[in-house]
Amino acid sequence: MLLTTYGSRGDVEPLAGLAAELRAHGAEVRVCAPPDDEFAERLAGVGVSMVPAGPSARALTTAAAPPSPAGLPRRAAELIAGQSQAITGAAEGCDLLVATGVVPAAAGALSVAEGLGIRSVSVTFQQLTLPSPHRRPLAYPGRPLPPEVTDNRVLWDLDAQNINALFGAALNTFRASIGLPPVDDVRDYVIGGRPWLATDPVLDPWREPADLDVVQTGAWILPDARPLPDELVAFLDAGTPPVYVGFGSMPLRGSADGARHAIEAVRAHGRRVVVARGWADLDLIDDRDDCFVVGEVNQQALFARTAAVVHHGGAGTTTTAAGAGAPQVVVPQAADQPYWAGRVAALGIGAAHDGPIPAFGSLSAALTTALDPGTRARATATAGRVRTDGAVVAAKLLLGSADRARASAPA
């Protein structure tokens, strides 16, 4: 099996969960992912070697200025070319390829599989890229959706046009270079006839009727057995459960004082704080003993010992906090994160912060909701409904598909 992605930690972590489950069933697994050390170390922890592909995801995400909308087609061409070269080599001898990540990367990976005659599966870790009559698509930078249009199917047609304009030329240039015909609709090519949705059905229900035959496996969670650092355990044991504050792979460009506002808001509620550095490089604001800073850590174990989790709303962090029964405050930064914030609020397991900039007043109000005993009770009840077998389901489906492919191959 070859698992491919281009994205942040939230795109790589689920592949680690799936890879571990596939290996437990005796499969040989390779993963193509951005060449960031933390990704390679995480995959090595489950006995999987990583084939680096494309530029550093952290360097691109934390650059001083985000890529301009006008530069997206050029970046797409560079990503497809660079990643696909690595995938071509890694795919040798594979029975099946799993493609995830940003649209151009997934399109390039699927094209490599097509050229090599390898079966492939397209997977998303959030449903907002899958056309649905029940909601609007996400807008691409520089290509806003017309607010006056209320017919979702019309908006999804416009979404397909935008994706073709941004990525079509780059993809078809690459496909021509490996002897494949052009595709007319990049989005439909990536989604395919039966896309997989690797999210929890309680947190992220797929609504019917729909225009797609979606396979929802559940989230691909890697059980984390790593012990918490001794110093962190001592901090947790020394007082009441703290509030976790961390924004994962988000750089928090809009708020240089994000850590200060968050810590002060938590303190105003009489709570201690665990601050996660993340890609925003958050740190403590003073030397008081009510705060502790962490780097890479077992979130499953840590969240279970918190009073609440303040985070950016990535699919993985939202699912981990929900599974731990921790109330949440979601401060969405981009892409699918406002959706996850809305789901947390709708389920009553936390609060959706209004906007991406964590300010003292707005965070204090959101924490009032998250720290309410009723929110804790609903979070605890929801934790019992969050599935933990998503990677098992996906692994069995993939292994069955690979077995059928070998059985049908010419002798």
Side-chain angles (χ1 to χ4, degrees), residues 132-137 145-156:
S132 168
H134 304 295
R135 50 176 168 69
R136 297 163 64 92
L145 298 171
E148 69 276 8
V149 177
T150 57
D151 188 328
N152 287 333
R153 285 193 167 94
V154 172
L155 292 173
W156 281 106

Side-chain angles (χ1 to χ4, degrees), residues 186-252:
V186 175
R187 189 192 68 200
D188 282 0
Y189 177 73
V190 170
I191 292 173
R194 200 163 187 250
W196 287 18
L197 176 60
T199 60
D200 183 80
V202 171
L203 302 178
D204 185 38
W206 177 252
R207 291 180 61 186
E208 299 287 354
D211 301 330
L212 292 171
D213 181 18
V214 171
V215 178
Q216 188 165 22
T217 63
W220 298 348
I221 300 170
L222 175 64
D224 200 337
R226 295 175 298 174
L228 295 174
D230 291 342
E231 297 84 355
L232 174 58
V233 171
F235 175 79
L236 295 170
D237 290 344
T240 57
V243 172
Y244 170 97
V245 175
F247 298 97
S249 301
M250 295 293 100
L252 282 188

Side-chain angles (χ1 to χ4, degrees), residues 9-80:
R9 175 65 176 268
D11 296 285
V12 176
E13 182 74 15
L15 295 189
L18 177 60
E21 192 62 38
L22 287 168
R23 290 189 74 248
H25 283 82
E28 179 185 346
V29 186
R30 305 166 193 163
V31 176
C32 275
D36 295 87
D37 289 344
E38 64 188 88
F39 300 162
E41 291 170 5
R42 188 68 173 131
L43 290 164
V46 296
V48 175
S49 62
M50 189 184 85
V51 179
S56 162
R58 180 165 187 164
L60 282 181
T61 302
T62 59
S68 68
L72 283 178
R74 176 182 57 81
R75 286 183 175 271
E78 294 171 350
L79 178 58
I80 290 172

